[in-house]
């Protein structure tokens, strides 16, 4: 009797899937609300109506959070909004997604978390490989252990909120790699650059003094020449004034002698 009921149920389900309106009602892209019936490691099964179930893969639950098990996102008996991703009537399979109800925010994140930009992040989990970070907008990032060393030389711990600089952004892999150590390392580099620029400016100052000295020497030499010329002029004037003036008569006699 139990086997007969099972066969009848399977026949009913098969008839539900062969109805023509299933192709229209559950076409790709259509949105529905279903009841969570079962959770597995790879996803959850959602009942859309009697005899029509679909699978939501764990990777199709959220754009921003890495969900290891669907129980982190939803519980059995709860309703969940979904969109049809794939419909296979022959094999009675429906692939559903929850995150696809919203636009992919990683297109926007690409212009926000650019390499070199600094963001306030909280360390939510620490392991032997590194730490998981909670970034603005609820997305996750990753930093290796060497990149969470603070300015005092100690490693940051879970629960701490610090500034992190973006090292790499991958929209395809939905991964963001960051570093806290880089934030103060860049400050040290800038200070070093300023110091180097200050040292390189000194020769120009020294060179300027040398030029000033040369100009002063030239100016001094020129003044000396002017003073010498002035003295010579005064002497010639004095000599001219001392020389006796010839009378008109003497001048005439000189002219006759020359004849």
């Amino acid at each position: 009797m139990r086997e007969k009921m099972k066969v009848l149920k399977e026949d009913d389900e098969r008839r539900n899937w062969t109805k023509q309106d299933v192709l229209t009602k559950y076409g790709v892209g259509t949105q529905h609300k279903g009841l969570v019936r079962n959770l597995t490691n790879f996803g959850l099964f959602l009942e859309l109506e009697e005899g029509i179930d679909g699978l939501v893969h764990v990777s199709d639950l959220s754009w921003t959070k890495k969900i290891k098990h669907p129980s982190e996102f939803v519980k059995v008996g709860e309703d969940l909004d979904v969109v049809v991703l794939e419909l296979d009537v022959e094999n009675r399979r429906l692939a559903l997604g929850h995150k696809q109800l919203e636009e992919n925010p990683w297109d926007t994140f690409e212009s926000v978390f650019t390499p070199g930009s600094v963001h306030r992040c909280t360390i939510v989990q620490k392991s032997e490989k590194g730490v998981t970070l909670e970034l603005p907008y609820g997305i996750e990032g990753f930093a290796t252990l060497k990149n969470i060393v603070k300015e005092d030389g100690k490693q940051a711990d879970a629960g701490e909120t610090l500034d992190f600089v973006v090292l790499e952004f991958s929209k395809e892999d939905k991964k963001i790699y960051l570093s806290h150590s880089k934030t103060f390392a860049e400050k040290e580099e800038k200070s070093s650059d300023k110091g180097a620029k200050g040292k390189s400016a000194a020769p120009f100052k020294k060179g300027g003094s040398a030029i000033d000295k040369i100009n002063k020497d030239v100016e001094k030499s020129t003044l000396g020449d002017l003073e010498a010329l002035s003295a010579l002029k005064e002497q010639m004037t004095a000599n001219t004034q001392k020389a006796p003036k010839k009378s008109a008569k003497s001048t005439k006699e000189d002219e006759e002698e020359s004849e």
Side-chain angles (χ1 to χ4, degrees), residues 40-43 58 65-72 125 132:
T40 68
N41 290 329
F42 55 85
V58 67
K65 294 183 178 180
K66 294 180 181 179
I67 301 171
K68 296 180 180 179
H69 193 277
S71 60
E72 301 172 12
Q125 187 177 357
T132 301

Side-chain angles (χ1 to χ4, degrees), residues 51-184:
I52 305 293
D53 294 332
L55 172 66
V56 181
H57 194 272
V58 67
S59 63
D60 289 319
L61 288 172
S62 174
W63 285 114
T64 57
K65 294 183 178 180
K66 294 180 181 179
I67 301 171
K68 296 180 180 179
H69 193 277
S71 60
E72 301 172 12
F73 191 85
V74 70
K75 307 299 180 185
V76 173
E78 293 181 346
D79 290 331
L80 186 67
D81 292 320
V82 292
V83 61
V84 177
L85 304 179
E86 185 181 345
L87 172 63
D88 185 352
V89 176
E90 185 177 346
N91 295 305
R92 292 184 293 170
R93 291 178 182 173
L94 266 176
L96 308 170
H98 174 73
K99 70 180 185 181
Q100 287 80 4
L101 291 169
E102 300 176 352
E103 293 183 4
N104 185 355
W106 285 86
D107 294 333
T108 303
F109 294 157
E110 188 175 18
S111 61
V112 176
F113 299 100
T114 55
S117 60
V118 179
H119 305 272
R120 199 74 174 167
C121 309
T122 301
I123 300 175
V124 294
Q125 187 177 357
K126 190 173 182 180
S127 66
E128 295 180 355
K129 295 182 178 180
V131 296
T132 301
L133 303 168
E134 182 181 354
L135 281 68
Y137 307 105
I139 63 174
E140 292 183 352
F142 182 81
T144 59
L145 294 178
K146 71 176 183 179
N147 283 313
I148 60 169
V149 177
K150 296 185 289 186
E151 203 163 1
D152 60 5
K154 297 179 181 179
Q155 281 189 357
D157 291 321
E160 287 192 66
T161 300
L162 303 165
D163 285 336
F164 281 80
V165 60
V166 177
L167 301 178
E168 183 182 345
F169 179 92
S170 176
K171 183 173 70 173
E172 292 74 19
D173 299 329
K174 296 180 177 58
K175 291 182 179 179
I176 304 177
Y177 298 95
L178 306 101
S179 169
H180 169 67
S181 305
K182 191 76 173 174
T183 57
F184 59 83

Side-chain angles (χ1 to χ4, degrees), residues 185-214:
E186 287 183 348
K187 292 178 183 177
E188 292 176 358
E189 289 175 4
K190 288 181 180 178
S191 298
S192 177
D193 290 342
K194 287 182 179 179
K197 288 181 180 178
K199 290 179 181 179
S200 63
F204 289 100
K205 185 176 181 181
K206 187 175 181 181
S209 298
I211 291 172
D212 291 342
K213 184 176 184 298
I214 292 171

Side-chain angles (χ1 to χ4, degrees), residues 10-23 51-52 88-92:
E10 289 177 353
D11 289 341
D12 290 339
E13 291 178 354
R14 192 176 291 108
R15 278 194 295 272
N16 288 339
W17 277 94
T18 55
K19 288 180 180 179
Q20 185 62 34
D21 60 352
V22 169
L23 293 172
I52 305 293
D88 185 352
V89 176
E90 185 177 346
N91 295 305
R92 292 184 293 170

